[in-house]
Structures are given as structure tokens and as C-alpha cells.
Amino acid sequence: MELRISILGGGGQVKAQASGTDLVSLVYSAPYEEGDVITLSGDRSGYVTARLEDSLPETFGYLAGEFRLAVPFGEKRVSYSPKSFTGALHLLQARAAEPEEIGAQRNLALNPLDSHDNTGFFPHASANVETRGESVFAARNAIDGCWANDSHGAWPYQSWGINRDPEAELTLDFGREVEIHRLVFTLRADFPHDNWWKRCTVRFSDGSEITPEFVKTGARQTVELERRGARWLKVCRLIKDEGDLSPFPALTQLEVWGTEAPLQS
């Protein structure tokens, strides 16, 4: 698999670039500037592990096209660690995933590199509403691997906030067929500031639905499933506790445990 990492300036000019077969590493010796974009592309679709910001963990994902990540500045940066995207020396790496990694059971939702504009590196989270459009309440926060949930706002307390909208929905797109056998929800638990959801509906791409119920806790809450295939799922019909005076339920993390779908013969 031929891989390429590029750093583009605000006008589209190439500031730095590296490519390689099954492995690519780019050292960028300059501060990022507003408007810069990091891109990752391959000569075909496939499974890749990428670390495009050295303060973030290596991330397994499905590269289905060119991935573009606008380097965050200002308000967009506060949902990341203060160390992220800073300084004058950056290491960006990606490699083709090993067969053992592809076949392993894992959290299929995890993607700390996700963003609103992501159309190339899956999974990808999106929502029909995010509180005030602020980065600390974006859908991507629910799949970034950060479980801190006893407060709210800037990193490490970012979450998916629904702006008090009872019709709020979060969609998780896997970009390919996967097999799921467990969901794990971590509700934000900044009590008494927060409310909490008593239940929700999870709709799968095959048309099936489940209705998990929750308790008021900051602990992870697990929902075991019969193994099923899906290309996407949607979390919707969020029912908050009517007896709680707070109007602010939120989701800190959604985990989707499973494996890649078997190849069709």
C-alpha cells in the first residue's frame, strides 16, 4: 500500500510531504500556521494505523479516501490537549495495518483523529445538533478515547452536547461492514450540573433497533448484543430523567466492540 502524508498551507501549497510503501514518516520542523491542513492518502482503500499528531495515540482506521485534518486553532483547539499541534517539531506517521491487528477484537468506534470534515478515515461521528456549535461539545468527542466525565468544557472534559434538543441524534459511520457484539456508553456525570439519559434507541444500518436503559452513574455502562453486521449505527430518542432539574445530559464516550466483517467469497 503506497501511503503519503502532506502538510498543506492555507492556499493549498505543499509545505512538507513524505511517501512510502506500507510505512511513511514525516518530520515537520516548523510551527503550524492557521489554515494548515494535514492529509493522509493511499493508492487504495485499506486498514491503516496513523499517528498524525504526536500527542495523540496511534489510531487504527479504515482509509477509504484522502483524509484531511485542518490543524485546529483558537476555539477549535480547546477540545485537544494543550500540548497538541504546538511547538516547532512534529512527527507524523502511518503504516499499513498488520493482519493480526485487522483480525483482532477492538473498539470499532475509536478515532481521536476524527473531525467534522472527515470523509476519508473511518470511523466518523456526526450529529444533527452540537451545543452552540462549540468544539468541546462536538460529536467527535464521543469517540476520541477520553473518559474524563466529572466536569464539562475544555479538554479533558469534552463531550457530545445536544443543546437541550430532544431530537438530537449521533451517527457513527464505520465506512465498511463490521460485526458488533457490545456497546459501552459513558454518560457525562458532572452532577448536579448534568442530567442523564434513562434510555435511548440505537438503530443499525440493517434496520434493527435496540433500546438500552441506563442508570445515573459516571461508570461505563455495557450493552451486550447478539453479533450483528453494520455499516453504521445511530443513537437517537434520548430520554432524560424528567425528575432531574438539570437540562444538560451529554455523552462522554461511545464504544462499539467487535471485529471486521468476514470477507465474502
Side-chain angles (χ1 to χ4, degrees):
M1 187 178 191
E2 294 296 320
L3 295 168
R4 175 178 293 174
I5 296 173
S6 304
I7 298 173
L8 309 179
Q13 73 275 22
V14 177
K15 291 186 167 184
Q17 190 173 83
S19 59
T21 301
D22 291 338
L23 176 68
V24 59
S25 181
L26 173 63
V27 177
Y28 184 54
S29 303
Y32 288 124
E33 297 178 306
E34 196 156 0
D36 284 352
V37 176
I38 298 166
T39 73
L40 171 64
S41 59
D43 63 343
R44 57 182 173 82
S45 298
Y47 300 100
V48 170
T49 65
R51 192 176 186 187
L52 302 181
E53 159 51 38
D54 46 43
S55 69
L56 297 176
E58 186 178 62
T59 301
F60 180 102
Y62 184 72
L63 186 64
E66 184 181 63
F67 171 65
R68 298 174 65 88
L69 175 63
V71 177
F73 280 83
E75 191 276 332
K76 297 295 184 184
R77 183 174 278 174
V78 296
S79 60
Y80 296 91
S81 165
K83 299 184 289 290
S84 298
F85 304 100
T86 59
L89 186 61
H90 308 275
L91 175 62
L92 301 86
Q93 299 185 129
R95 62 179 173 82
E98 297 294 337
E100 293 83 358
E101 294 174 301
I102 298 169
Q105 176 181 297
R106 63 182 174 279
N107 176 11
L108 299 163
L110 181 64
N111 187 1
L113 294 170
D114 195 26
S115 70
H116 281 128
D117 300 326
N118 176 20
T119 60
F121 189 58
F122 293 90
H124 170 57
S126 60
N128 63 343
V129 60
E130 296 170 341
T131 301
R132 297 184 297 274
E134 296 176 12
S135 67
V136 294
F137 300 120
R140 67 162 299 275
N141 300 328
I143 62 169
D144 68 357
C146 189
W147 282 271
N149 67 341
D150 59 348
S151 186
H152 69 281
W155 184 91
Y157 295 111
Q158 65 276 11
S159 59
W160 174 48
I162 67 168
N163 206 34
R164 311 188 195 189
D165 190 339
E167 302 301 320
E169 298 181 344
L170 182 146
T171 300
L172 183 59
D173 185 355
F174 302 105
R176 79 284 189 193
E177 190 81 6
V178 297
E179 287 200 347
I180 301 167
H181 62 82
R182 182 186 309 126
L183 304 178
V184 184
F185 293 83
T186 302
L187 307 184
R188 202 178 67 195
D190 185 13
F191 307 128
H193 172 277
D194 284 349
N195 201 315
W196 60 285
W197 292 306
K198 298 192 297 183
R199 63 184 179 276
C200 74
T201 296
V202 181
R203 183 178 303 131
F204 299 92
S205 55
D206 65 359
S208 63
E209 294 183 351
I210 62 170
T211 308
E213 296 189 352
F214 306 121
V215 297
K216 185 178 182 179
T217 179
R220 297 162 70 239
Q221 302 190 57
T222 299
V223 182
E224 299 288 349
L225 306 174
E226 292 186 6
R227 187 174 290 270
R228 69 186 68 206
R231 290 189 64 86
W232 55 263
L233 63 78
K234 187 184 297 287
V235 179
C236 55
R237 298 176 192 158
L238 298 156
I239 307 301
K240 65 183 178 68
D241 179 9
E242 301 89 344
D244 193 311
L245 296 179
S246 168
F248 302 121
L251 180 65
T252 293
Q253 285 294 289
L254 170 63
E255 300 166 60
V256 180
W257 287 87
T259 59
E260 298 298 323
L263 294 175
Q264 299 298 316
S265 58

